[in-house]
Amino acid sequence: MGVAKAEAVSEAATVDANGAIETGLATAIIRSGYWIAEDGDSYNLAAFDQTNGAWPIGQPLPLPSWSNRSKATFVVEKLWQYEEMIGLIETKLQRMLEETHYNTANNFVDFYRTYRAAVAATAPSRGQRGTEDLKTHFHKYTIPINRRHHMCVSLGMEIVSRIAEHHPDIGRLLYLVSCEEALDESVSYIEHCEENGIELAGSSLEKEHALVAMKILVGGREGVLILDPGYHVARAVTVMKDQKYPHTGWFTQSDEPHCRREYSYGFHELNDNYITWTERMTRGAKQQYEQSLVYIGRPYRTAIDVTVRRNLVYNFRSLLSRDAKGRVCAGLYFPVVPNPLDAQVTLFYDGPQENQVKQKFKFSLFKDAEMIPDPVLRHLDNLAPQLRMELGELVDLMVDLAASIHDVDFVRQVLEINNDINELSADN
């Protein structure tokens, strides 16, 4: 990595794209833990240039915002230098996938607990109902980000932190980027965003996903590196403008008996600040395509305030364990539904003979930890080690989830906010 490292550091030093991160900050400081908070359990949000977005009255989400300047480019002359870097990054990425979970269950429980505490705090006296509504709480809620309960944003921060620990010159060039998922039509979306600037289009943007990018120049050819641990992608995806090697092209992300998912990434023909992410789903003889857009022009500054906040009220929750290749091998998932009698959770895990066990249960079975039926408890006992959890910890989580899902008033308000956000981005 000698030549590649030297050129990357030199290039990065010429651009002050993100304040202190790129204005001569010493490599030694970055190496000593610049990306991780002092408590070791969270991230240095200043390093990721995170901020709160403006929140106009009537908007269901804050407005997204981006850095004023672009990030510098990772420059190498020789293809082998780039391949060597990709090997290093993929090794760290695959190990991270194996060691972490995708988890939107715990943050849902945390959100619920703080809401109930806020309601209690506004009660005139003990036993009476408080006046706090969920929209108000959602608006002022400080979102916890830690290194234990990950979704796409903190997974992006985690992989940057791990790369920067041993390769700070590369870490400085990686940045969080925003993604608008499942677009009806990409051309009008880009035209809308670019007509007056993407910030002014923010009132209609959902930005429900975030990932990591790095601009690259390989032998004079432009491209971008994409890392997406939030969607369990176990490879460093290379997107070249000329679509020639090392351009990744189509690859199989998952291949299950009922559905094969394949991904492809490419620069949008209208504007090279956008990467088109195409998903092809094959079920039997039927194929379905879905297209999303990743904005790589400038670093995304409201990944926590917009993307994580949006996820808090999404009507589908999960806790997923992945292997090093990105296969989702164990976990739980459930939809958030209005009627608690309909509330069910699916548990799945690898069985003893390489078969996957999948069972669906009513959430009512988990209302009381002491009353969970033995057959259900055995499934939890099998699942827990594959989630690297103690059985008691998993049981506590299930009880907490059941409490939140059976709170009809809380669920009703969650679904109302989720619907408001869906209407916000309905034309995208």
Side-chain angles (χ1 to χ4, degrees):
M1 286 293 290
V3 176
K5 179 180 291 187
E7 292 187 0
V9 171
S10 174
E11 179 73 0
T14 64
V15 178
D16 59 348
N18 239 352
I21 299 174
E22 294 197 343
T23 51
L25 184 67
T27 295
I29 296 176
I30 296 176
R31 183 176 287 118
S32 66
Y34 180 70
W35 303 95
I36 304 299
E38 289 184 3
D39 62 6
D41 189 45
S42 187
Y43 303 94
N44 178 0
L45 300 186
F48 291 96
D49 194 29
Q50 290 299 289
T51 188
N52 290 332
W55 201 331
I57 295 174
Q59 280 286 120
L61 281 174
L63 300 181
S65 70
W66 290 264
S67 174
N68 291 330
R69 299 192 183 183
S70 301
K71 276 280 191 173
T73 301
F74 181 87
V75 181
V76 289
E77 289 300 323
K78 304 296 184 182
L79 187 57
W80 66 263
Q81 296 170 319
Y82 182 73
E83 291 173 330
E84 190 173 75
M85 181 198 69
I86 289 296
L88 292 170
I89 288 177
E90 285 193 343
T91 298
K92 291 190 176 293
L93 176 63
Q94 291 174 8
R95 181 172 181 178
M96 190 195 83
L97 288 176
E98 197 169 29
E99 293 177 347
T100 60
H101 300 126
Y102 180 86
N103 185 354
T104 61
N106 281 89
N107 66 358
F108 191 69
V109 167
D110 291 342
F111 184 49
Y112 173 68
R113 284 175 174 166
T114 59
Y115 170 62
R116 278 295 153 218
V119 171
T122 60
S125 61
R126 183 180 296 275
Q128 292 185 291
R129 181 170 178 79
T131 58
E132 181 92 339
D133 65 275
L134 191 63
K135 282 188 178 180
T136 300
H137 182 69
F138 182 63
H139 194 289
K140 65 185 183 182
Y141 183 59
T142 300
I143 301 168
I145 296 292
N146 59 53
R147 303 182 73 191
R148 290 167 285 111
H149 305 145
H150 288 291
M151 54 165 288
C152 61
V153 172
S154 59
L155 285 168
M157 292 178 173
E158 183 68 21
I159 189 57
V160 171
S161 303
R162 291 189 181 207
I163 293 169
E165 182 180 4
H166 297 105
H167 307 284
D169 50 303
I170 298 173
R172 294 168 70 186
L173 303 181
L174 294 164
Y175 59 105
L176 294 175
V177 292
S178 60
C179 178
E180 198 86 19
E181 295 183 344
L183 291 172
D184 293 330
E185 202 275 316
S186 63
V187 172
S188 60
Y189 176 90
I190 292 175
E191 288 175 343
H192 172 63
C193 289
E194 295 299 312
E195 184 176 359
N196 296 303
I198 193 169
E199 281 83 4
L200 294 179
S203 61
S204 64
L205 305 183
E206 188 173 348
K207 294 300 180 183
E208 62 266 57
H209 183 47
L211 50 162
V212 174
M214 181 173 72
K215 295 179 180 179
I216 60 173
L217 192 67
V218 182
R221 299 160 53 221
E222 293 182 70
V224 65
L225 171 71
I226 296 288
L227 303 175
D228 193 359
Y231 267 87
H232 328 304
V233 178
R235 62 176 65 198
V237 176
T238 300
V239 189
M240 301 300 295
K241 284 187 178 179
D242 60 14
Q243 297 190 11
K244 296 179 181 178
Y245 187 83
H247 184 74
T248 300
W250 283 101
F251 63 92
T252 300
Q253 172 58 20
S254 64
D255 195 357
E256 303 295 335
H258 65 287
C259 180
R260 183 171 71 252
R261 294 179 184 271
E262 299 165 284
Y263 291 169
S264 178
Y265 300 77
F267 282 90
H268 197 279
E269 59 185 12
L270 185 68
N271 189 313
D272 59 15
N273 281 325
Y274 295 84
I275 297 295
T276 302
W277 166 27
T278 305
E279 179 180 9
R280 180 168 61 205
M281 291 158 284
T282 304
R283 294 180 173 89
K286 185 178 294 186
Q287 287 190 335
Q288 178 184 348
Y289 289 82
E290 191 169 272
Q291 192 175 92
S292 304
L293 278 181
V294 182
Y295 177 68
I296 62 165
R298 288 173 283 144
Y300 182 37
R301 302 189 69 212
T302 51
I304 296 172
D305 198 36
V306 175
T307 299
V308 180
R309 190 180 303 276
R310 191 275 169 266
N311 184 271
L312 286 173
V313 292
Y314 188 56
N315 62 348
F316 190 84
R317 322 302 300 178
S318 60
L319 168 56
L320 308 173
S321 177
R322 298 85 57 87
D323 65 17
K325 296 301 181 182
R327 183 179 74 93
V328 177
C329 46
L332 61 93
Y333 59 85
F334 60 94
V336 180
V337 296
N339 187 351
L341 296 178
D342 298 329
Q344 298 184 84
V345 59
T346 299
L347 310 180
F348 67 99
Y349 55 89
D350 286 339
Q353 297 176 333
E354 297 187 356
N355 62 310
Q356 189 166 83
V357 177
K358 183 178 289 188
Q359 292 288 326
K360 185 178 290 187
F361 300 105
K362 292 279 190 180
F363 258 117
S364 56
L365 295 173
F366 303 100
K367 279 188 170 182
D368 185 340
E370 300 298 323
M371 300 296 290
I372 298 174
D374 286 343
V376 179
L377 202 58
R378 281 195 291 271
H379 284 293
L380 293 179
D381 196 25
N382 291 332
L383 172 60
Q386 294 188 32
L387 289 173
R388 292 185 298 282
M389 298 172 70
E390 296 295 330
L391 175 60
E393 183 185 2
L394 181 56
V395 168
D396 288 345
L397 175 61
M398 298 306 298
V399 171
D400 289 339
L401 287 172
S404 62
I405 287 298
H406 285 102
D407 189 325
V408 177
D409 181 58
F410 171 71
V411 168
R412 175 186 58 78
Q413 294 182 84
V414 165
L415 295 177
E416 285 176 357
I417 298 171
N418 182 62
N419 186 61
D420 289 344
I421 296 172
N422 288 338
E423 290 182 359
L424 161 82
S425 59
D427 293 333
N428 291 338

